[in-house]
């Protein structure tokens, strides 16, 4: 039997759990994550914070926003509660429906610094061949 994710859920091939699993303090999305939380959890928190702010600033209901985005109301609720990682269809649909950027485009910089030493070392090794 194939394990298909429900709408709005991303397969967890990497082993990443829903973002709320990594919360040690606060109420999603205003939370502090465990030190071992994967990058995806940090991106999900930032996305959910932006989504929450955009929903609060909009004149539409959560149901009407979800409908305009082409996703279900429960999907939006699960994203806001940290119960699922948002997929590309949800992200793009919500951005279009809310007419704003929600994806944390610059957050990669925070994590790129951690990996830059390893990348430089492998890059130097590749250049010597």
């Amino acid at each position: 039997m194939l394990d298909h994710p429900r709408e709005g859920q991303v397969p967890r091939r990497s082993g990443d759990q829903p973002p709320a699993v990594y919360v040690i303090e606060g109420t999603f999305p205003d939370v502090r994550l465990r030190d071992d939380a994967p990058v995806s959890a940090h991106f999900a928190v930032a996305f959910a914070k932006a989504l929450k702010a955009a929903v609060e600033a909009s004149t539409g209901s959560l149901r009407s926003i979800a409908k305009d985005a082409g996703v279900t109301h429960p999907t939006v609720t699960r994203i806001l509660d940290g119960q699922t990682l948002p997929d590309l269809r949800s992200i793009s649909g919500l951005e279009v429906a809310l007419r704003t950027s929600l994806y944390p485009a610059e957050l990669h910089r925070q994590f790129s610094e951690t990996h830059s030493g390893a990348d430089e070392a492998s890059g130097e090794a590749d250049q010597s061949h």
Side-chain angles (χ1 to χ4, degrees):
M1 179 176 172
L2 294 174
D3 184 24
H4 294 285
R6 291 186 306 192
E7 179 187 348
Q9 290 187 321
V10 177
R12 308 278 183 252
R13 290 187 192 119
S14 66
D16 292 359
Q17 298 297 313
V21 168
Y22 303 99
V23 172
I24 57 174
E25 180 179 87
T27 303
F28 216 87
D30 303 309
V31 298
R32 189 165 68 102
L33 299 176
R34 298 185 336 218
D35 290 340
D36 66 340
V39 173
S40 63
H42 293 274
F43 272 77
V45 167
F47 181 81
K49 284 181 180 180
L51 176 57
K52 179 182 174 185
V55 167
E56 289 172 352
S58 87
T59 57
S61 70
L62 197 57
R63 286 187 189 281
S64 68
I65 291 167
K67 182 179 178 186
D68 290 347
V71 298
T72 66
H73 177 260
T75 295
V76 178
T77 301
R78 284 193 305 268
I79 292 169
L80 289 169
D81 291 344
Q83 298 302 314
T84 190
L85 291 169
D87 63 6
L88 188 56
R89 187 170 71 94
S90 299
I91 292 168
S92 58
L94 288 164
E95 285 190 347
V96 169
L98 289 162
R99 296 185 174 108
T100 190
S101 178
L102 302 171
Y103 189 79
E106 296 301 316
L107 188 59
H108 72 279
R109 293 177 193 270
Q110 177 181 334
F111 298 97
S112 298
E113 293 171 7
T114 328
H115 294 20
S116 65
D119 292 343
E120 289 171 6
S122 68
E124 290 172 7
D126 291 343
Q127 290 175 3
S128 65
H129 289 273

